Amino acid sequence: MRKALTLLFGILCFTSIYGQVNRIEIEIMNCLKASMEDKGEVLEQLISDHQDLLISEGLVQDGTPESLYEAFKNMASGKLIELPSKPFVQQWREIIGPEKSELNECQNNILQESDNNDSNTMIDFSNALLKILSNGNGLERKEVAQTVSDILNAEDLRLDYYKLSTFFVFDLIPTSAGVDYSTTILKSPTEDQIEKALDIEINHESNIICKGESMGLEHLEPVLKDYFEKNQSDAIIALKTNEKAKYRVYADVVQLIKHQILILKKELAEAKFKKSFEELNEEEMTLVNSTYPLVVIE
């Protein structure tokens, strides 16, 4: 997942020296949109839809850049804020397919024409993102959020360039404290366990096969939800990946499984204890974690 995010940030982030005259970020986004068949219409809808998701799940109060900036400020101060139920990178991959040669040529032209003496925010932000990526899982959510809020302001977040970037950052922020993502791998499963397991296969063409059907991540999500809800602590995922399958597809499937488990744990915490997951005591948290474990046959 992190490796894939590095590649995606490469589209948006640059470490070359260039200026911000007339907000070069706008020109960079124009390059990205121009490289798409629909000239960015679906991308604009994706940004709008993900912003609506953040609002509906209470991460931000409204669609203003001030609200998005406030979310990062709150996280930086230590306030617990839920993360999006659906990773932005997952949605990005479903629609983005820029022609790289065209995109790179457009970007290079902008860099050559820009003033080299006035750059600041983009370089600082690009370097900060690279630092976050290079630290792997070593950074706490406060540190990641502080990095964003120190460099950007609400005015920056009016630009699609930084909206996209911060949506990706949400995918990098460590998930809720206390969520048990440890995986139990059954090396010698019983016949009963094999029979109960939900079979997911990623074939040699990187297609996802579940219940005998080829499906995308958006269709796999409700299948996972239904299976976990019905089986709870008895749920087992039998994940088979062909050696020729793309790693990013495997990573996306694993990420989706973990996110679905997180959603169900949060729902159970609210339903059983009338609390958010972060507010549970140790005993309550153990019960919730044990109700939705991650057990895999590979």
Side-chain angles (χ1 to χ4, degrees):
M1 180 69 162
R2 191 166 294 272
K3 182 178 180 181
L5 280 166
T6 305
L7 297 175
L8 291 172
F9 274 129
I11 295 175
L12 296 175
C13 302
F14 307 88
T15 53
S16 305
I17 301 298
Y18 45 73
Q20 281 187 268
V21 177
N22 297 324
R23 298 300 310 223
I24 194 172
E25 299 96 326
I26 297 175
E27 299 303 318
I28 294 296
M29 285 301 300
N30 287 341
C31 280
L32 177 58
K33 293 175 181 178
S35 70
M36 302 171 65
E37 288 187 7
D38 64 357
K39 303 306 178 185
E41 288 185 14
V42 176
L43 175 59
E44 291 177 359
Q45 187 61 51
L46 172 62
I47 294 172
S48 176
D49 289 347
H50 196 71
Q51 187 166 271
D52 288 343
L53 175 70
L54 300 184
I55 295 171
S56 67
E57 296 189 348
L59 279 83
V60 297
Q61 291 186 350
D62 52 48
T64 63
E66 288 80 9
S67 183
L68 181 57
Y69 181 71
E70 188 66 21
F72 281 100
K73 291 289 288 183
N74 287 337
M75 279 189 283
S77 67
K79 183 177 179 180
L80 287 174
I81 290 182
E82 303 295 329
L83 300 183
S85 61
K86 189 172 185 179
F88 182 74
V89 66
Q90 173 187 321
Q91 302 168 77
W92 168 277
R93 285 192 185 130
E94 290 171 2
I95 70 161
I96 299 297
E99 175 56 48
K100 279 200 167 184
S101 60
E102 176 187 343
L103 178 59
N104 290 338
E105 181 180 355
C106 179
Q107 292 171 345
N108 288 335
N109 289 338
I110 292 174
L111 299 182
Q112 290 173 4
E113 295 172 2
S114 62
D115 184 346
N116 292 339
N117 298 317
D118 299 322
S119 68
N120 209 320
T121 305
M122 278 189 71
I123 293 176
D124 290 344
F125 191 63
S126 298
N127 290 337
L129 293 179
L130 291 174
K131 179 182 177 182
I132 291 171
L133 288 164
S134 65
N135 273 273
N137 293 320
L139 290 178
E140 299 292 333
R141 67 162 58 189
K142 287 176 61 175
E143 295 177 272
V144 177
Q146 189 68 59
T147 298
V148 174
S149 59
D150 282 348
I151 297 172
L152 302 182
N153 55 43
E155 191 63 30
D156 294 320
L157 293 174
R158 294 185 185 279
L159 304 178
D160 284 348
Y161 176 93
Y162 290 118
K163 283 184 183 178
L164 276 177
S165 299
T166 53
F167 290 168
F168 286 129
V169 169
F170 273 122
D171 292 345
L172 293 172
I173 293 175
T175 50
S176 303
V179 178
D180 183 3
Y181 282 125
S182 59
T183 305
T184 300
I185 298 178
L186 300 178
K187 295 183 178 180
S188 301
T190 65
E191 289 186 11
D192 184 55
Q193 288 172 325
I194 294 174
E195 186 177 341
K196 286 182 178 179
L198 177 66
D199 294 313
I200 301 174
E201 177 187 357
I202 305 173
N203 66 17
H204 67 287
E205 295 181 334
S206 298
N207 296 320
I208 302 169
I209 312 296
C210 184
K211 293 190 171 183
E213 297 181 11
S214 178
M215 61 181 66
L217 293 170
E218 70 279 7
H219 294 119
L220 179 60
E221 186 173 8
V223 173
L224 288 169
K225 178 178 174 62
D226 181 65
Y227 175 76
F228 283 130
E229 284 181 330
K230 288 180 178 177
N231 293 274
Q232 295 192 345
S233 61
D234 292 326
I236 300 172
I237 299 295
L239 183 58
K240 180 180 179 182
T241 306
N242 188 281
E243 61 181 12
K244 294 183 180 180
K246 295 178 181 178
Y247 175 78
R248 67 174 180 81
V249 177
Y250 168 82
D252 284 346
V253 170
V254 172
Q255 181 75 2
L256 183 61
I257 292 170
K258 290 183 176 182
H259 267 269
Q260 192 56 62
I261 288 175
L262 174 58
I263 292 170
L264 292 171
K265 287 180 177 182
K266 290 179 177 179
E267 291 178 355
L268 179 59
E270 292 284 354
K272 190 173 184 65
F273 301 109
K274 309 302 180 185
K275 300 177 184 178
S276 68
F277 186 90
E278 290 79 6
E279 294 172 327
L280 299 180
N281 59 38
E282 186 174 349
E283 182 179 351
E284 294 166 340
M285 196 170 288
T286 298
L287 187 150
V288 171
N289 280 326
S290 64
T291 302
Y292 292 109
L294 179 52
V295 183
V296 175
I297 300 173
E298 290 191 325

